[in-house]
Amino acid sequence: MQVLKFGGTSVGSTAAIEQVCSIVAQYKRKGNMAIVVSAMSGITDKLIQCGQLAGQCQEQYKSVLQEIELKHLDTIRALFPITVQSSLLSEVKKQLNQLEALCDGIFQVGELSKRCQDKIMSFGELLSSWMVAEKLKHMGLNAAWKDSRDLIFTDAQHGHALVDFDVTDHQVTAFFQHQSANYIVLPGFIASNADKDTTTLGRGGSDYTAAIIAAAMDASVLEIWTDVSGMMTADPRLVPQAIAIPRISYEEAMELSHFGAKVIYPPTIQPVMNRRIPIWIKNTFAPDDYGTLIQDNGEKPFPVTGISGIQKIALLTLEGSGMVGIPGFSKRLFDALLREKVNVILITQSSSEHSITVGILENDMLSAKAAVDSEFVQEIHDKRIEPLIVEKDLCIVAVVGDNMKNHHGMSGKLFGALGRNAINVRAIAQGSTEKNISAVINKADVKKALNVIHEAFFESETKQVNVFVAGTGNVGGKLLEQLQLQQEYLLRELGLQVRIIALGNSRKMRFSESGLSLGKWKDELEAGHEMDQELFAKHILDMNLRNSVFVDNTASDAVAGMYSNFLRNGISVVTCNKIACSSAHAEYKKLKDLARKFNASFLFETNVGAGLPVINTLNDMVRSGDKVQTIEAVLSGSLNFIFNNFVNGANFRQVVKAAQDEGYTEPDPRIDLSGKDVMRKILILARESGAVLEMEDIENHSFLPAECLHAKDVPAFYEQLDVHAAHFQQLLRSAADKGERLKFVARYHNGKASVGLQSVSPQHPFYQLEGKDNIVLFTTSRYSAQPLIVKGAGAGADVTASGIFADIIRTVR
């Protein structure tokens, strides 16, 4: 015998019912086939609403009844030709009249009992299953309809009745042994008690009905037909990358269903598991898809089979020194919860016996607290224990898999992935079978957590990186261009899917959780909202995406001020903006500390040498125990370009203007010529060496006359360059007379730093430095005889963007 169950969405419309009947008609039948049917999707909710409104003496129940009637009558009219509709419509109307009479009676007395509620809810399955049976008959199949209340018997607990399997198994086998019809259609969810009253098996109970019949008849297979292609590795609404699980054990399926996987009703598995009857979950609307086969365990590609979760959880913690070594506290706690019918979902206890924590549904937390505080009123009064601590707005995420016990490091992998994404774990539970590891987290983190865990266990070949970019000028534009060009390479060679989730500049901001198109980013940004920096930062935090990286391509104080909040929320920061790292040392240290504390990266390689590996090289030396003695450097590509082109016969003003036109200087060249930019860079290098320095500690031997430096604007500055042309020519002649060249040099030695214009001899490494190149000489304990030299292009949008690109990749590798 075969048992097929079709869910509410599978019979939710005329087209869906026709699809169900088509599947049944084409099925390779082996003996009798039992077909269990749920109510049409949405009907059970409407029936519950009817009963509640009638019980509250609200006449709106009549309009809901009309909606239910219209849905079923319209379905009959669409399913059957007009020549046979009359008797069918009459039967539906007859059933609905009974429902209406029942609701009218409830309205009159103003009270809805659980017994009446069960009776009302039964009409959904009775009507849908009867319509399916009639449709199969109309198609010429030998089909019959049978009321499940004649077969499945329960206790008198309405709403969630317990099945009497001895009586039920006898009734089911007796009925099917004498059944001549090939297809027997039955309503799911409903049963009856010894008094012949209608009972129900709990929401989702149609699955259970099918399992009860399959177990009683020792069926060859139980098929659950629904609207998805099997059980998934995670909820696809929250984890788009979730995949179908082709094979899963009974135990794994039970774990996942208890922890929120909605594909199958939890009690369904037990009856068929006892008889080792396979359960096959199939998709009514994609019948050719394999689905998920639940049976004894087989080989699986991953140690973890699936990830699930339970929302709206509260934690109850009973703690106090009076609990230590005293037996009976746990029993009294659970007895108090039992008296209030509070279901305990998770339990964890400290080995010191100082506290015990349980997880329950949030709806039960007030009654649970009252019950527990009442139970321990004397101990609380004596201050031997504390009043029950209640925490809400939580959820449970669970990792399930039979094979986890055979793999080392599963817990470490789980909690490491959560920790790297700043997801705080409030409680942990793991059974000795090692089939389930559960963690309680903040409900705001559930989507990120599920994606993080799924990535860790199922997407080892690919890691998603979510990038938020502030600044789309020269550097930002080049970065986006490079990311677009390297998308396929990153995915193919490094397994990285880099998505630009947000773009912002001084005028506009644009967000897209699925990622902005790098080929059309200008148009997409232009179509965005007006920039609001506070809202921009808030939305980044609210999105709460895994592997998030904030990229700052600006020179803005306000944007730099956002870093601490991002790091505190586990969002890595990559920046070419020197303001944060050259601000007060306390602020610099705070950012570094936040990055360590919250497992985020704070990377700023491009603060010093654009794309040159200056800071990374310095970090590697310091981390390996080397001691920095001296740093000498030409750190301004713009100043190097200027003084390389300021040769005999050249006009200093024209050289500076050419550098600005090439994009080598800031829009206001005084920022470069004043030496302030170089001061920031040597300050950052000194700090990364371990020095505690402030900006005001750096000596600046400025070559720029005060009138140039303090000109009212850029045009006035250029005028002053002409006025002081002789001054600049004298600097050039003084160097030339000695056969030397002018270089703007930064130096750090013995805890002190300085910057200034120097003339260097042909023997000096700086002498041959051409164009806009930078050079850094590290003299250290290990590199004492010959300094370590880092040299290359130190300015330009392309190389700066490439440095930022490299830092983005470092955040996730």
Side-chain angles (χ1 to χ4, degrees):
M1 181 177 178
Q2 295 148 311
V3 180
L4 280 65
K5 179 265 175 179
F6 291 93
T9 51
S10 297
V11 292
S13 66
T14 302
I17 292 174
E18 288 175 337
Q19 173 71 0
V20 165
C21 294
S22 174
I23 289 170
V24 170
Q26 296 173 28
Y27 203 93
K28 293 181 180 178
R29 188 173 54 81
K30 300 173 183 177
N32 290 350
M33 181 185 292
I35 301 161
V36 178
V37 179
S38 296
M40 298 180 77
S41 57
I43 291 299
T44 302
D45 288 336
K46 289 186 180 297
L47 288 167
I48 293 171
Q49 186 184 10
C50 267
Q52 290 174 341
L53 289 171
Q56 296 162 7
C57 298
Q58 297 186 37
E59 291 194 350
Q60 293 97 313
Y61 79 90
K62 294 181 180 179
S63 61
V64 180
L65 278 173
Q66 289 175 354
E67 292 175 23
I68 294 170
E69 179 176 315
L70 185 63
K71 174 81 169 177
H72 288 89
L73 295 180
D74 283 349
T75 302
I76 290 291
R77 293 186 183 104
L79 273 177
F80 299 95
I82 195 167
T83 53
V84 299
Q85 285 180 12
S86 178
S87 61
L88 299 174
L89 291 171
S90 176
E91 179 60 29
V92 171
K93 191 69 176 170
K94 176 183 172 183
Q95 290 280 336
L96 292 171
N97 286 342
Q98 293 178 25
L99 172 62
E100 184 177 10
L102 179 59
C103 290
D104 289 344
I106 293 168
F107 178 81
Q108 292 298 322
V109 298
E111 182 181 345
L112 174 65
S113 67
K114 288 186 177 181
R115 176 172 170 269
C116 288
Q117 179 82 298
D118 274 358
K119 179 69 174 175
I120 289 172
M121 287 194 293
S122 70
F123 283 90
E125 272 73 16
L126 290 169
L127 286 166
S128 62
S129 60
W130 178 81
M131 288 192 297
V132 169
E134 291 300 315
K135 180 64 177 177
L136 292 174
K137 291 178 188 175
H138 184 74
M139 293 168 62
L141 299 178
N142 181 15
W145 180 84
K146 178 63 177 176
D147 191 337
S148 300
R149 293 174 295 186
D150 297 336
L151 304 178
I152 299 176
F153 291 87
T154 69
D155 63 8
Q157 182 179 315
H158 290 283
H160 205 297
L162 297 177
V163 177
D164 183 334
F165 280 97
D166 290 337
V167 177
T168 297
D169 287 354
H170 174 74
Q171 289 296 114
V172 171
T173 53
F175 169 75
F176 279 101
Q177 283 172 357
H178 299 91
Q179 182 53 240
S180 59
N182 296 327
Y183 304 91
I184 302 94
V185 184
L186 306 102
F189 177 56
I190 60 174
S192 63
N193 61 22
D195 296 327
K196 303 299 182 183
D197 292 329
T198 298
T199 58
T200 58
L201 304 177
R203 293 299 298 267
S206 291
D207 289 355
Y208 196 23
T209 301
I212 292 165
I213 292 170
M217 295 302 297
D218 200 16
S220 59
V221 65
L222 166 61
E223 295 186 10
I224 307 291
W225 289 79
T226 181
D227 57 357
V228 293
S229 296
M231 299 185 79
M232 308 290 282
T233 50
D235 187 341
R237 294 168 298 180
L238 299 176
V239 183
Q241 302 86 268
I243 55 176
I245 305 169
R247 285 172 61 92
I248 186 171
S249 72
Y250 296 110
E251 293 82 1
E252 290 170 323
M254 288 179 73
E255 291 274 6
L256 287 173
S257 62
H258 277 294
F259 274 87
K262 302 298 185 185
V263 176
I264 190 166
Y265 181 54
T268 302
I269 300 166
Q270 192 68 51
V272 290
M273 181 177 72
N274 293 339
R275 300 289 182 92
R276 319 318 287 178
I277 299 169
I279 307 172
W280 205 338
I281 300 172
K282 298 280 287 180
N283 189 339
T284 303
F285 308 103
D288 293 332
D289 288 358
Y290 183 80
T292 297
L293 184 61
I294 304 172
Q295 59 180 35
D296 286 323
N297 206 358
E299 290 298 319
K300 299 185 181 70
F302 305 105
V304 167
T305 300
I307 305 158
S308 195
I310 304 177
Q311 301 270 19
K312 297 181 179 178
I313 292 296
L315 281 184
L316 311 179
T317 300
L318 188 69
E319 66 178 20
S321 57
M323 294 172 59
V324 180
I326 307 299
F329 273 92
S330 298
K331 179 181 184 301
R332 291 173 62 192
L333 169 64
F334 293 118
D335 281 347
L337 296 175
L338 176 63
R339 286 194 293 272
E340 292 295 319
K341 294 185 167 62
V342 174
N343 184 39
V344 175
I345 300 168
L346 174 144
I347 306 168
T348 180
Q349 183 172 15
S350 65
S351 57
S352 67
E353 302 181 48
H354 183 265
S355 68
I356 181 169
T357 297
V358 298
I360 65 170
L361 293 176
E362 208 170 74
N363 290 341
D364 294 328
M365 66 181 180
L366 295 180
S367 60
K369 178 169 174 55
V372 175
D373 283 347
S374 176
E375 172 67 31
F376 295 99
V377 64
Q378 188 61 51
E379 288 86 352
I380 294 171
H381 178 268
D382 296 341
K383 299 191 182 302
R384 285 185 283 153
I385 65 170
E386 300 295 325
L388 189 71
I389 300 168
V390 180
E391 300 170 78
K392 62 176 185 175
D393 295 328
L394 302 170
C395 68
I396 297 175
V397 290
V399 174
V400 173
D402 285 338
N403 290 341
M404 289 199 297
K405 61 179 176 291
N406 299 321
H407 288 76
H408 298 296
M410 291 292 101
S411 296
K413 194 171 186 178
L414 168 64
F415 297 116
L418 294 174
R420 284 191 297 274
N421 281 272
I423 298 170
N424 186 39
V425 176
R426 294 291 301 110
I428 300 165
Q430 181 176 10
S432 58
T433 61
E434 299 183 56
K435 290 179 180 178
N436 182 319
I437 306 173
S438 299
V440 180
I441 62 171
N442 191 300
K443 72 176 184 181
D445 290 327
V446 64
K447 182 177 180 180
K448 180 163 74 168
L450 290 173
N451 278 276
V452 163
I453 298 168
H454 195 273
E455 183 178 76
F457 288 103
F458 295 101
E459 304 169 47
S460 56
E461 296 181 2
T462 304
K463 190 168 190 175
Q464 189 180 93
V465 188
N466 296 300
V467 181
F468 304 84
V469 178
T472 57
N474 289 338
V475 173
K478 287 293 183 183
L479 172 64
L480 295 170
E481 180 182 310
Q482 291 173 11
L483 286 170
Q484 182 186 5
L485 290 172
Q486 290 298 102
Q487 269 184 319
E488 289 186 13
Y489 173 86
L490 292 174
L491 192 59
R492 183 180 68 251
E493 300 296 330
L494 302 182
L496 295 179
Q497 181 193 23
V498 180
R499 306 190 310 163
I500 303 300
I501 303 300
L503 288 175
N505 58 25
S506 59
R507 299 183 305 104
K508 294 279 190 176
M509 61 180 182
R510 180 68 183 268
F511 284 83
S512 172
E513 190 164 344
S514 60
L516 294 162
S517 168
L518 286 172
K520 301 176 182 177
W521 69 264
K522 290 182 180 178
D523 293 337
E524 293 203 26
L525 179 58
E526 196 57 37
H529 297 286
E530 184 179 341
M531 170 52 79
D532 179 326
Q533 287 190 345
E534 286 188 13
L535 191 60
F536 186 69
K538 182 179 182 300
H539 199 34
I540 292 172
L541 296 174
D542 289 345
M543 291 184 84
N544 204 17
L545 299 178
R546 71 190 191 278
N547 305 326
S548 289
V549 184
F550 176 73
V551 177
D552 181 10
N553 301 313
T554 74
S556 164
D557 285 304
V559 176
M562 300 175 182
Y563 297 172
S564 61
N565 209 14
F566 290 142
L567 293 170
R568 194 174 284 110
N569 285 274
I571 298 174
S572 294
V573 173
V574 170
T575 179
C576 61
N577 184 347
K578 292 179 276 291
I579 290 173
C581 289
S582 60
S583 61
H585 184 272
E587 180 63 22
Y588 158 84
K589 186 175 185 304
K590 182 181 87 169
L591 294 175
K592 300 275 283 189
D593 290 345
L594 285 172
R596 278 190 292 269
K597 181 177 180 180
F598 293 99
N599 293 305
S601 297
F602 177 41
L603 302 178
F604 42 90
E605 179 66 81
T606 50
N607 275 197
V608 173
L612 291 178
V614 177
I615 292 177
N616 278 318
T617 300
L618 175 58
N619 289 160
D620 288 343
M621 289 190 292
V622 171
R623 288 168 188 152
S624 66
D626 203 354
K627 303 295 183 185
V628 175
Q629 298 168 352
T630 304
I631 302 173
E632 286 185 288
V634 173
L635 294 173
S636 172
S638 54
L639 285 175
N640 197 46
F641 176 89
I642 288 169
F643 286 109
N644 279 338
N645 286 277
F646 183 43
V647 294
N648 288 332
N651 178 282
F652 191 70
R653 177 190 187 281
Q654 292 175 349
V655 173
V656 174
K657 188 67 171 68
Q660 184 187 18
D661 292 342
E662 290 288 336
Y664 297 146
T665 73
E666 298 292 335
D668 185 343
R670 286 174 294 180
I671 296 173
D672 300 279
L673 294 171
S674 68
K676 186 174 182 180
D677 187 59
V678 177
M679 290 172 69
R680 286 174 172 163
K681 292 180 178 181
I682 193 64
L683 175 63
I684 292 168
L685 288 180
R687 287 175 171 177
E688 289 294 289
S689 303
V692 179
L693 281 181
E694 302 291 353
M695 193 73 164
E696 52 268 26
D697 297 330
I698 301 173
E699 295 181 25
N700 184 357
H701 306 292
S702 178
F703 69 92
L704 206 62
E707 295 84 357
C708 298
L709 191 59
H710 301 300
K712 66 178 181 178
D713 52 28
V714 173
F717 160 71
Y718 277 114
E719 290 176 7
Q720 287 298 319
L721 290 184
D722 281 335
V723 170
H724 292 86
H727 165 73
F728 300 114
Q729 289 297 327
Q730 179 57 43
L731 293 173
L732 182 60
R733 280 195 300 272
S734 296
D737 289 346
K738 294 183 288 184
E740 297 179 344
R741 300 178 69 177
L742 292 172
K743 299 292 177 183
F744 196 85
V745 178
R747 179 179 172 83
Y748 168 72
H749 181 68
N750 286 339
K752 294 183 178 180
S754 63
V755 300
L757 192 65
Q758 293 178 205
S759 62
V760 297
S761 68
Q763 291 76 36
H764 198 285
F766 294 170
Y767 187 85
Q768 298 295 339
L769 195 65
E770 301 295 339
K772 59 182 184 299
D773 285 0
N774 281 185
I775 186 170
V776 183
L777 277 61
F778 292 110
T779 303
T780 71
S781 299
R782 295 173 187 157
Y783 295 93
S784 55
Q786 187 76 18
L788 175 66
I789 298 175
V790 180
K791 178 182 176 182
D798 265 331
V799 291
T800 303
S802 70
I804 295 168
F805 193 140
D807 273 351
I808 292 172
I809 303 307
R810 285 188 191 98
T811 65
V812 289
R813 288 178 66 81

